[in-house]
Amino acid sequence: MHGYDFMLAPLISLLCMAIGLIVYLNNRKDSSGKAFAIISISLGFWILSAFLSDVTKNEFYSLLLNRVTFVSLFFFMGGLLYLPFVFPARKKYANYIKYFLIIFLFFAAIFTFLSSGIVASITFEQWGSNLTYGKYFLVFEIFAFGSIIISLILSIINYVKSEPEDRTKLRLFFEGLFIFVLITIVIEVVVRNIVGSDEFYRFGNYAAIVFVAFIAYAIIKHQLFNIKVILTEIGVAIVNIAILEQIFLPRSSWQVAVNVILLIIVAYGSYVLVKSVIWEIKQKEQLQDLTIQLSQANSHLKELDEMKTEFVSLASHELLTPVSAIEGYLSMMLDEHLAKVEDPTAIRYMDRIYRSSKRLARLISDMLNISRIEEGRLLVEKKDVNLTELIKQVIDEIKFKAEERKQRVVFEKSEIRSTKSETISNDKNSNELNTEFMTYGDPDKIKEVVVNIIGNSIKYSKNPGTITVSIKKVPKVTVEDVWKRVEGEIKGRPLDDQEAIKSAVDPHFREIVGDEQILISVKDQGIGIPKEELPRLFKKFHRVGDYTTAESQGTGLGLYISRALVELHHGRIWADSEGPSHGSTFTFSLPDISAKEQIIGLEKEIPQDKEQLKPLAKPMNANISDKFENFPISDEELKKRNHTK
Ligand code: ADP
């Protein structure tokens, strides 16, 4: 035993205990802090008791102190075993290990301390005490060796799996352990064999400080806030003690008085400083907690939203079949040839039910389509489409319905350069094929849009009039300019209205492509739309005016779906109206066929699960005229609208 041992051993052991305690106190909620505290504090005890066992001249005390050393070693190894289960992150089965260790270490400590199973006896040498191991020393060896091996293997696994930030921590842990184990092996094995006694084991113990320092640094490295408090407290304490000391030095009484006042001021200042640092840290911690909570709430909401859409899609799908069956049977009952219902009142009621069920089927299929669009599950099969033909076909299918409502549907297509326009009205049939207006798209979806818009213009026209469908080509900038204006207008409106520009489709679909755009517009002489309503039309469930009356026939979903369908084709849709009674014009754009390659290229980049894709849902036995069966607006409502103008 040398003079420096008397200084080194207590100092290192106290340092180990202090570091362990500080880390534990600052990370009380954290299991890794606890594991580290066990390692560090037991290391402190180990070094201290080993040192004291050498210092004491009493054989009995020395034996007991040597046993304390081994109890500490058990705890040290236990801590080492526990650490990788909670550091850098807590594992699921960490609790089992914890309970096993608590029970095992409890019995191991009692057994080691009270029996001669581990440490049998000691003999005093000139340098200190030499040990004779007991019969069960193997238990200690197995536990120690096993703990180190398991800890090492798990830490390596943790290291491989962990994030870069945790890797630094783990690397520090390894480096510390490596240096400690290396020094210990060199001293305990190599030196022991050369010298033939335990004389130099202490140096191995002293090396433990390297290990403790490395882990302490690793654990607190990312919790510098807490260290800030400790540093502030230490600094403040030093200043206060220095002033306090001044008071007790022999001085004149007024100097003492000044010092006392100074001390009071400084003490108060210190108190405020420490408090403010703690407050600042608490704020930061709260902010961190809140950020975590917020991001959790956010992902929860997203999940709920997805669940909601999934539910709507599932429910709509399940509803469509029975509703279609009701509709089918009702139509058979209403058919004189198929069933006999004599009572005219019953027939009237049944007719109402039939109409309602048709509307219900329409609503359900609209909702199903919306969920398909919003989930990106709508099957879009694009090919070359002749828009002139497509529009003619729709007009053909719709013209009888239009005639019933005294509407004439005319089709105008103008060439880009010439002003010449060709007119096809519903009484004049022209089958001339025009190759000018070709696009690359899904004919089914484009047809749906055209039917929706022409359907609306028939539906919302009360007096006899003309519906003009026109088609022309414009440069890309025209569409971009119009859309910028529409978007600008909507952005200046309340949040609720801004929904009208929230797109439901992938941005790849939305991009306006090609230099030439085809514009299709439908102009009617119907009831018109108040200016302030224009930007809202394309919102989900939006309908102009008060639609709580029984007269209401629409769903308010047609334009929302039309907009999404147009956007799936790199187009835009908008509405214009001079106000109530002045008719309305709905216009949408589609890219010219020349942009076909660009479209194919863009859409390749959209991630899609092909098996999930579904076509547009349509109610069974649906036909175009279902969409605008009755004029849906009462005279009163119409008067009111004229009034608001
Ligand atoms: P629905 O027609 O089923 O109510 P839409 O989404 O197709 O739903 O239309 C939304 C609203 O826009 C309609 O309720 C109607 O108030 C208004 N609207 C649509 N087209 C016209 C039109 N051509 N003339 C006047 N109003 C229209």
Side-chain angles (χ1 to χ4, degrees):
M1 187 71 58
H2 304 275
Y4 58 78
D5 282 322
F6 283 92
M7 220 175 68
L8 267 185
L11 193 75
I12 290 181
S13 76
L14 285 178
L15 210 61
C16 284
M17 289 185 211
I19 293 176
L21 208 64
I22 289 176
V23 170
Y24 169 68
L25 289 178
N26 284 294
N27 299 275
R28 242 177 285 191
K29 276 183 242 154
D30 189 2
S31 308
S32 65
K34 278 184 206 157
F36 172 73
I38 293 170
I39 294 175
S40 195
I41 293 171
S42 55
L43 191 59
F45 272 102
W46 159 16
I47 296 171
L48 192 67
S49 56
F51 164 72
L52 290 177
S53 76
D54 291 345
V55 176
T56 177
K57 293 283 167 275
N58 182 313
E59 213 177 300
F60 177 67
Y61 286 146
S62 179
L63 180 68
L64 287 191
L65 283 164
N66 270 309
R67 286 180 179 169
V68 171
T69 305
F70 275 86
V71 171
S72 312
L73 275 165
F74 265 114
F75 275 88
F76 176 80
M77 299 300 172
L80 211 59
L81 181 61
Y82 185 51
L83 192 66
F85 287 94
V86 289
F87 175 76
R90 196 184 167 81
K91 305 250 175 335
K92 268 183 286 176
Y93 34 88
N95 266 347
Y96 298 119
I97 302 295
K98 186 166 99 182
Y99 296 130
F100 160 74
L101 282 175
I102 289 173
I103 295 167
F104 176 79
L105 291 177
F106 176 75
F107 287 112
I110 291 178
F111 179 70
T112 309
F113 192 69
L114 297 181
S115 80
S116 54
I118 306 287
V119 182
S121 61
I122 57 148
T123 48
F124 274 122
E125 301 286 331
Q126 183 212 346
W127 52 266
S129 56
N130 222 358
L131 294 184
T132 311
Y133 299 134
K135 264 191 279 177
Y136 299 101
F137 190 70
L138 192 67
V139 175
F140 171 76
E141 280 181 321
I142 292 173
F143 182 67
F145 192 68
S147 297
I148 291 177
I149 296 291
I150 293 173
S151 185
L152 212 66
I153 293 174
L154 287 179
S155 301
I156 291 171
I157 295 173
N158 283 346
Y159 184 82
V160 175
K161 283 191 192 164
S162 63
E163 308 278 316
E165 187 195 322
D166 289 335
R167 281 196 177 187
T168 351
K169 293 192 198 177
L170 278 165
R171 212 175 33 241
L172 285 164
F173 172 75
F174 281 135
E175 284 165 3
L177 188 66
F178 180 74
I179 295 174
F180 174 47
V181 170
L182 197 73
I183 298 177
T184 310
I185 288 174
V186 169
I187 291 169
E188 301 269 309
V189 182
V190 184
V191 179
R192 195 169 197 258
N193 280 337
I194 297 170
V195 185
S197 86
D198 283 338
E199 185 172 352
F200 295 102
Y201 78 94
R202 294 188 304 277
F203 297 104
N205 290 1
Y206 298 160
I209 191 69
V210 180
F211 177 49
V212 173
F214 271 77
I215 311 185
Y217 179 65
I219 290 182
I220 52 188
K221 193 177 173 228
H222 299 276
Q223 283 152 9
L224 287 172
F225 300 145
N226 297 344
I227 294 304
K228 209 158 125 188
V229 182
I230 296 168
L231 288 182
T232 317
E233 281 169 353
I234 292 173
V236 157
I238 291 172
V239 174
N240 280 285
I241 289 168
I243 299 173
L244 193 67
E245 206 184 46
Q246 294 288 313
I247 297 173
F248 295 104
L249 290 178
R251 291 268 164 83
S252 65
S253 51
W254 73 266
Q255 270 177 327
V256 173
V258 167
N259 278 331
V260 167
I261 293 170
L262 198 67
L263 182 66
I264 292 170
I265 295 171
V266 170
Y268 180 71
S270 312
Y271 167 74
V272 173
L273 183 68
V274 171
K275 224 175 97 168
S276 77
V277 171
I278 292 173
W279 183 80
E280 184 198 339
I281 288 156
K282 280 222 177 93
Q283 291 294 100
K284 274 192 182 152
E285 278 173 358
Q286 270 176 5
L287 208 67
Q288 275 176 343
D289 281 355
L290 284 177
T291 315
I292 293 169
Q293 278 175 19
L294 206 66
S295 78
Q296 278 170 348
N298 193 25
S299 63
H300 184 62
L301 278 179
K302 270 191 195 145
E303 250 168 54
L304 278 182
D305 197 50
E306 268 164 31
M307 270 163 67
K308 183 210 75 190
T309 320
E310 217 177 290
F311 171 76
V312 170
S313 123
L314 211 77
S316 321
H317 192 81
E318 294 303 314
L319 282 170
L320 206 53
T321 325
V323 168
S324 302
I326 294 171
E327 195 190 305
Y329 283 110
L330 275 167
S331 82
M332 286 199 273
M333 283 174 82
L334 285 165
D335 188 335
E336 288 164 85
H337 306 291
L338 295 174
K340 261 209 167 43
V341 184
E342 311 266 278
D343 187 352
T345 323
I347 293 177
R348 213 172 59 238
Y349 289 166
M350 267 160 52
D351 184 57
R352 286 199 188 156
I353 300 172
Y354 176 62
R355 282 165 197 272
S356 291
S357 67
K358 269 196 149 172
R359 220 188 124 213
L360 188 58
R362 170 102 239 132
L363 179 67
I364 293 169
S365 69
D366 277 354
M367 293 198 357
L368 197 55
N369 285 330
I370 287 177
S371 69
R372 281 178 191 170
I373 292 167
E374 289 179 350
E375 288 174 343
R377 290 195 297 115
L378 188 71
L379 177 69
V380 183
E381 291 172 305
K382 293 192 177 174
K383 48 179 156 200
D384 297 358
V385 182
N386 183 332
L387 287 172
T388 325
E389 280 303 300
L390 187 141
I391 293 170
K392 276 185 199 164
Q393 204 187 331
V394 173
I395 293 176
D396 240 26
E397 284 175 38
I398 234 168
K399 68 181 174 198
F400 300 105
K401 207 71 203 176
E403 276 163 7
E404 268 176 32
R405 313 278 310 255
K406 312 243 169 9
Q407 300 301 312
R408 214 168 69 96
V409 186
V410 294
F411 181 28
E412 259 178 14
K413 59 185 172 63
S414 44
E415 311 301 328
I416 273 191
R417 279 170 211 91
S418 70
T419 46
K420 180 190 94 191
S421 78
E422 181 194 338
T423 305
I424 310 148
S425 70
N426 37 359
D427 31 46
K428 195 171 86 185
N429 235 333
S430 162
N431 286 323
E432 184 196 331
L433 192 115
N434 189 302
T435 46
E436 280 290 307
F437 300 99
M438 294 287 290
T439 189
Y440 181 68
D442 182 330
D444 235 27
K445 314 285 182 299
I446 301 175
K447 193 172 162 189
E448 179 78 15
V449 178
V450 178
V451 169
N452 258 340
I453 297 180
I454 302 183
N456 272 351
S457 57
I458 300 174
K459 187 160 91 173
Y460 299 103
S461 292
K462 200 143 204 212
N463 305 316
T466 307
I467 291 163
T468 316
V469 184
S470 60
I471 186 165
K472 63 176 174 187
K473 277 191 194 177
V474 294
K476 182 181 178 179
V477 281
T478 312
V479 175
E480 283 173 340
D481 285 349
V482 173
W483 188 245
K484 226 183 259 164
R485 175 180 59 75
V486 172
E487 252 184 345
E489 218 167 277
I490 295 176
K491 274 182 186 153
R493 297 176 69 95
L495 262 188
D496 192 29
D497 285 352
Q498 290 181 19
E499 295 222 344
I501 43 171
K502 250 190 233 151
S503 182
V505 310
D506 191 286
H508 287 93
F509 279 125
R510 271 196 101 215
E511 194 172 310
I512 300 177
V513 292
D515 294 329
E516 282 189 332
Q517 303 292 313
I518 301 170
L519 279 194
I520 298 166
S521 49
V522 178
K523 185 174 162 49
D524 64 44
Q525 298 171 327
I527 61 166
I529 302 159
K531 271 259 176 302
E532 71 275 8
E533 287 286 345
L534 284 174
R536 299 190 187 128
L537 295 178
F538 299 92
K539 264 167 56 180
K540 230 185 277 185
F541 292 112
H542 188 80
R543 317 196 61 211
V544 180
D546 177 19
Y547 279 89
T548 45
T549 54
E551 306 239 22
S552 113
Q553 289 294 317
T555 58
L557 294 173
L559 287 179
Y560 178 79
I561 294 175
S562 298
R563 179 185 162 208
L565 294 179
V566 168
E567 288 182 348
L568 281 170
H569 286 86
H570 308 268
R572 296 289 184 273
I573 184 168
W574 62 90
D576 280 307
S577 173
E578 287 303 312
S581 307
H582 285 71
S584 332
T585 308
F586 282 79
T587 310
F588 69 96
S589 72
L590 289 172
D592 184 70
I593 185 107
S594 54
K596 180 174 171 176
E597 296 306 318
Q598 206 184 338
I599 294 172
I600 293 173
L602 260 177
E603 293 177 9
K604 251 194 223 140
E605 292 168 31
I606 304 169
Q608 269 180 334
D609 183 356
K610 292 269 179 304
E611 280 172 21
Q612 289 283 314
L613 298 180
K614 295 269 159 58
L616 266 183
K618 291 199 175 125
M620 251 181 246
N621 336 307
N623 79 55
I624 287 181
S625 61
D626 291 346
K627 292 187 181 222
F628 38 96
E629 206 142 7
N630 287 335
F631 187 77
I633 297 174
S634 64
D635 289 331
E636 273 161 58
E637 168 64 27
L638 207 63
K639 260 187 228 141
K640 221 163 54 192
R641 275 200 208 179
N642 276 327
H643 228 72
T644 54
K645 201 196 158 193

